[in-house]
Amino acid sequence: MPPSEPMPLVFYVEDDENIRDLTLYALRQAGFEGRGFPDAEAFFAACREAAPDLVLLDIMLPGTDGLGILAQVRADGRLRDVPVIMLTAKGTELDTVSGLDAGADDYLAKPFSMMELVSRANALLRRARRAEVPSQDGRIVCGSLMLDPAAHRVEAAGTVVDLTLKEFELLQVLMENPGHALSRAQLFEAVWGSAFYGGTRTVDVHMQTLRQKLDRTEEGLSAMLETVRGVGYRLRSAE
């Protein structure tokens, strides 16, 4: 009988012990190996022993906050590609945008549903596993945008654009369907790999940060990503 697949290792940084223990219990019941840490020091000490498959980060932490931890994770060669979900009690658009722009792959505002957390975690891990498999498809080019699925690389007007995993996948879906209006529900399911939870803001915020990053390379390039009122988004076909 073949050996069973190892449980995904999830690290959760949360200074509230009750919330941390409850969340870890839910993750373990769902088939994850969960480990909790109250601060950045304990988290990075554990990372030196084993790299996690997924990281859950609270923003408000003693000492180094969640955004500070995220910045260190993305700067670490062993951890930079590990999916990260920000969990925050703030829930404001500014905090959400700051977390996603800093490299988080998803976010949930407290109080959150444990079922939704588990679903989001599973979806991120599925997408991360797919990203590890080299694509057999060629480069996708639309105007001055180039996306290489195999190299996981995006160039805008010849300049490399540093995108998070979700931003990359969102752009890929749009570039694979140039000129077609895709609803938020279609984009959410294609990128997050789960049913649409009414997370309109999730799609909208990722589109906002994606546009900002494209405009940093060439002014006006983000205009290729068009909002279709009452529907969703589309990538303007290259003329």
Side-chain angles (χ1 to χ4, degrees), residues 215-232:
D215 268 346
R216 290 173 191 164
T217 60
E218 180 180 320
E219 186 175 356
L221 188 56
S222 68
M224 292 182 67
L225 304 178
E226 299 179 327
T227 300
V228 183
R229 184 170 297 180
V231 180

Side-chain angles (χ1 to χ4, degrees), residues 113-184:
S113 159
M114 292 299 172
M115 289 182 63
E116 182 171 359
L117 173 61
V118 168
S119 178
R120 296 281 187 94
N122 277 319
L124 270 180
L125 288 170
R126 284 196 300 269
R127 304 300 290 185
R129 283 193 290 268
R130 290 174 193 166
E132 291 174 357
V133 180
S135 172
Q136 299 303 312
D137 299 330
R139 296 181 176 187
I140 306 170
V141 178
C142 187
S144 56
L145 276 178
M146 186 283 295
L147 185 145
D148 187 342
H152 213 265
R153 178 185 180 94
V154 171
E155 293 182 8
T159 301
V160 175
V161 185
D162 185 18
L163 301 181
T164 67
L165 177 62
K166 309 321 291 179
E167 291 166 348
F168 182 93
E169 292 172 349
L170 183 58
L171 182 60
Q172 181 173 351
V173 172
L174 291 166
M175 290 183 69
E176 288 173 344
N177 297 276
H180 294 277
L182 301 176
S183 70
R184 290 174 175 82

Side-chain angles (χ1 to χ4, degrees), residues 193-213:
S194 59
F196 190 64
Y197 282 100
T200 298
R201 295 302 301 154
T202 299
V203 177
D204 290 343
V205 169
H206 278 76
M207 283 297 298
Q208 181 178 351
T209 58
L210 179 56
R211 282 169 164 160
Q212 290 172 347
K213 291 183 178 182

Side-chain angles (χ1 to χ4, degrees), residues 12 14-24 36-38:
Y12 181 26
E14 165 63 68
D15 61 319
D16 187 311
E17 186 176 0
N18 291 330
I19 295 176
R20 189 173 68 239
D21 289 347
L22 178 61
T23 303
L24 290 172
F37 312 96

